[in-house]
Amino acid sequence: MSNLLILGDADMRNLLHSLSRSDAETLQESLAESLHTYSTGTQEESACSANQPMRSAMQSSPGVSTIFMPARTTSATGIKIVTLSEDRVLSPVTSNESQTNTDQDSSHHASVSSTSGSLSGLTLSSTHSSTGSGSKDGTSTPASTAPSTVSSTSIPGSIFDPMSEKAINSSDPLATPSISPYAPSTRPQGSLTILSPSGTPSAILNATTLTAFRTALATSLLIRKRTNVHTFTVFGAGAQAYWHIRLALLLRSPEIHHVHIIARTFSRASLLIKTLYATSVPSETDVQPTKLTHPDHMPALVKGVKFTILTPEYQDYQRLLREQVRAADVILTCTPSSSPLFPPELLTSTEGRKKGRLVAAIGSYRPHMSELPHEVLLDAVKPPSSGKHHHLHRHAERGGVVVVDTLAGAMKESGEVRKAALTGDQLVEMGELVMLKKACMEDQKAKGGEPGAAPTSSLWRWLTAGNVVYKCVGLGLLDLAVGEKIVDIARERALGTVVSGF
C-alpha cells in the first residue's frame, strides 16, 4: 500500500500560478528530456515512441467524446482520461453572421493597451452611439475611430472561428462555459492517474488546467530558442492562450514588448489581460486564492508590455490583422477553429517571408479542424530558395520541415497536415530538436571550434531565427512527464489531499 496524492483543479491552479521562473525551467528540462527520448530512444527506453500506446476515443454521449491517453516513462505509467464536447467547433463566421454570433460585450472598442503595471491604460468606447458612422456592410462602427478599431466585415480566407463565448458570463477568463447541453464544459474535463512501475497508484491529478499548462510548456521549448520574441500575436482568449502568454512572460520577460490578442469577443480577451495583472490566483471555487508575491509573478513581469485586443466586428480589421500577423515574432493559434484564421499570403508572400517567425498551431486537434492555411505548411517544407536572383529578396530561412509533437499523431489527427498532404519525411518531432543546441556545440567542439561558442549551423539558424511552423495535436507523454514533476513539487510543498494506505 502507498499514500495516494490527489490534486484537484484548485490545487493545480494554485501550484501552477505559484511557479517561479526557475521552477518553470526545471519543468522544461524534464519535458525536453522525455520528448527527446520519445523521438530518439530505443525500445529499451520506456519513454520512446515504440513503447507509447496510441490514444483511443469513444462517444460517451451525443456530441461528447471521451479520449484515453496512456503513456510510459522510466519511472511511471499513466493514463489521462478527458471528455470533450464535439460542439466546441461552431460554424464559421460569415459576413451575415458576424453581428449576431457575438455577445453584446463585443461592441466595445477593439483595442486595449497598457504600458504600466496597472489597468489604468485600458480604454473602451461603445459602438451604440447614434453619432457613429455606418460601415460598408451596414453594420455600425465606433463613434470614436481610433487607429486600432477593427471591422466587422468578413475577410475571405480569414474566417475566425474560436469557441463560442455567448454562454460565458463568468468574470474568470479561465472558467468553463457550457455549450452542449450534454457537456459540462468546452474545456477538457477529466484526470491523469499516475502509477508506479509496479502498478501502484501514486497520484490523481485533475486534468483541466494541466492540459492547457503542459501544452504551453511544450510550446515554450521552441519559444526559448528564438532570438527575437519582442512581439506576440495570439489567436484566442481561453485557457490555452492564457497559459501560453503567461509562460512566455515568465520565461522571456522583459524581452517581450507587445502582445496582440485576436479574439471573437472583446470581453473575453479583456478578462484574460486583467487576469495576468491579478495578484492572486483566479479561482472557480470558494477556495481562498493563493496570494502571489514573489518577483516572478505576473504583476511585475507585465510592466512595460503593451497589450492590444482585436475583434472582427469593426472597421480596418483586415488591415490590422495583416499588420499584427506580419509584425509578430511569435504567432500562437489557440482556437478549435475549423477554418484558417488568416489568409496564407500574409506569411507566404515575398513580403511575408522577410521576417523569421515561430508559428505554433495548438488549438485544433482533429482532422476537420484547421487554424492555419495549409499553404503555410507547404511553404515551410520547401527547400531554401536558390538562384542568382535570390539575393534580391531577403527571406528568413526555411527548415524544409514542419515541427510536430508526435509524427504519427499529426499525420492522423492534424487537419493542416492532412490538407497539405505532407509525408513523414516533411515532418520532424520536437523531441529531435530540443537538444539541438547541445548537439551542435559538441559537433563544433569535435571539429576544433571554440568550446562554448554559439552554434553556427544552418539548422540552428533556422530554429532560432528562421520561419518555424509547429503543429501540436496532443500526446499522453506530455501529461505524464509534466504530471510527475508537479506531484514532486506538490509533495515538497504539502499541497493536495493524501489518502494513506490506498
Side-chain angles (χ1 to χ4, degrees):
M1 293 189 295
S2 64
N3 293 333
L4 177 72
L5 177 66
I6 300 176
L7 294 174
D9 195 48
D11 298 319
M12 294 294 294
R13 283 168 170 252
N14 285 337
L15 188 154
L16 295 176
H17 280 90
S18 69
L19 294 176
S20 66
R21 177 176 299 185
S22 176
D23 293 330
E25 289 172 344
T26 298
L27 288 170
Q28 278 187 322
E29 293 305 321
S30 176
L31 181 58
E33 290 177 8
S34 294
L35 288 173
H36 185 63
T37 302
Y38 171 81
S39 297
T40 65
T42 64
Q43 285 193 336
E44 286 71 34
E45 298 175 277
S46 298
C48 81
S49 58
N51 291 327
Q52 301 301 319
M54 292 294 291
R55 70 184 185 187
S56 59
M58 68 176 188
Q59 187 176 40
S60 49
S61 60
V64 178
S65 293
T66 298
I67 301 174
F68 303 83
M69 303 174 69
R72 290 179 60 189
T73 65
T74 55
S75 55
T77 299
I79 182 166
K80 186 171 84 166
I81 304 174
V82 291
T83 298
L84 299 165
S85 170
E86 293 292 332
D87 293 337
R88 293 183 71 197
V89 184
L90 307 177
S91 59
V93 176
T94 67
S95 57
N96 293 327
E97 296 172 327
S98 60
Q99 187 70 14
T100 58
N101 281 356
T102 54
D103 62 22
Q104 291 182 350
D105 289 318
S106 300
S107 63
H108 287 303
H109 193 286
S111 177
V112 169
S113 64
S114 179
T115 56
S116 67
S118 69
L119 288 174
S120 59
L122 295 181
T123 58
L124 313 179
S125 63
S126 174
T127 63
H128 295 304
S129 169
S130 59
T131 61
S133 60
S135 66
K136 290 186 296 184
D137 61 355
T139 58
S140 62
T141 56
S144 173
T145 55
S148 51
T149 54
V150 292
S151 174
S152 61
T153 304
S154 185
I155 303 166
S158 176
I159 301 173
F160 188 64
D161 183 28
M163 75 171 82
S164 169
E165 300 176 25
K166 297 177 72 174
I168 297 172
N169 296 312
S170 171
S171 61
D172 180 0
L174 306 185
T176 54
S178 178
I179 294 177
S180 167
Y182 300 98
S185 172
T186 59
R187 287 199 291 150
Q189 298 291 301
S191 64
L192 169 67
T193 300
I194 300 177
L195 312 173
S196 70
S198 64
T200 303
S202 60
I204 299 176
L205 286 62
N206 186 290
T208 300
T209 302
L210 171 66
T211 299
F213 176 84
R214 60 79 152 153
T215 306
L217 188 70
T219 306
S220 76
L221 296 178
L222 294 174
I223 293 175
R224 72 174 180 175
K225 297 183 183 301
R226 301 298 293 180
T227 302
N228 295 319
V229 293
H230 301 315
T231 302
F232 277 65
T233 295
V234 183
F235 288 84
Q240 287 285 6
Y242 173 82
W243 280 107
H244 274 79
I245 295 170
R246 185 181 180 88
L247 274 177
L249 290 170
L250 182 62
L251 293 162
R252 295 298 299 264
S253 178
E255 298 170 77
I256 299 172
H257 302 155
H258 298 89
V259 177
H260 303 301
I261 300 174
I262 303 176
R264 191 177 188 118
T265 63
F266 179 92
S267 58
R268 183 75 161 183
S270 177
L271 286 169
L272 186 156
I273 296 171
K274 291 177 182 178
T275 306
L276 289 171
Y277 279 93
T279 57
S280 62
V281 177
S283 176
E284 295 176 21
T285 70
D286 294 329
V287 176
Q288 182 65 30
T290 299
K291 292 294 181 182
L292 306 177
T293 56
H294 68 66
D296 285 345
H297 288 308
M298 288 299 107
L301 299 180
V302 295
K303 287 183 178 179
V305 179
K306 181 179 180 180
F307 292 91
T308 66
I309 294 173
L310 185 63
T311 59
E313 285 77 38
Y314 307 97
Q315 63 183 25
D316 291 338
Y317 178 73
Q318 183 173 8
R319 176 181 64 82
L320 290 169
L321 176 70
R322 179 178 65 251
E323 289 179 0
Q324 293 186 6
V325 169
R326 289 265 177 89
D329 299 300
V330 179
I331 297 173
L332 303 171
T333 62
C334 306
T335 79
S337 180
S338 57
S339 300
L341 302 176
F342 54 84
E345 59 268 18
L346 295 188
L347 298 184
T348 60
S349 65
T350 298
E351 185 66 26
R353 288 188 50 232
K354 286 182 179 180
K355 182 184 180 75
R357 300 177 186 86
L358 168 63
V359 181
I362 52 84
S364 57
Y365 58 94
R366 298 292 296 274
H368 65 280
M369 300 176 179
S370 290
E371 297 177 284
L372 300 180
H374 70 276
E375 294 91 342
V376 171
L377 279 71
L378 289 173
D379 186 74
V381 300
K382 291 179 181 177
S385 301
S386 60
K388 63 179 180 179
H389 298 298
H390 175 59
H391 67 282
L392 298 176
H393 302 290
R394 289 188 174 275
H395 292 156
E397 290 198 45
R398 293 188 182 104
V401 292
V402 169
V403 184
V404 296
D405 54 344
T406 162
L407 192 151
M411 294 190 70
K412 180 180 178 183
E413 302 288 351
S414 168
E416 294 95 339
V417 170
R418 290 166 66 98
K419 287 179 182 177
L422 301 187
T423 60
D425 59 359
Q426 294 173 309
L427 306 176
V428 61
E429 289 180 338
M430 184 191 291
E432 298 182 58
L433 300 174
V434 289
M435 301 298 184
L436 181 62
K437 182 176 182 179
K438 180 179 179 181
C440 288
M441 292 177 69
E442 290 176 349
D443 184 59
Q444 284 182 191
K445 183 179 179 181
K447 294 178 179 179
E450 182 180 348
T456 58
S457 71
S458 59
L459 183 59
W460 180 252
R461 290 196 304 272
W462 161 70
L463 192 59
T464 57
N467 281 312
V468 177
V469 177
Y470 167 56
K471 178 62 202 173
C472 174
V473 295
L475 177 65
L477 182 63
L478 298 177
D479 301 283
L480 183 56
V482 175
E484 283 189 273
K485 291 300 178 182
I486 288 174
V487 168
D488 291 341
I489 295 172
R491 291 189 187 278
E492 290 173 2
R493 300 180 183 180
L495 297 175
T497 301
V498 176
V499 179
S500 301
F502 184 83

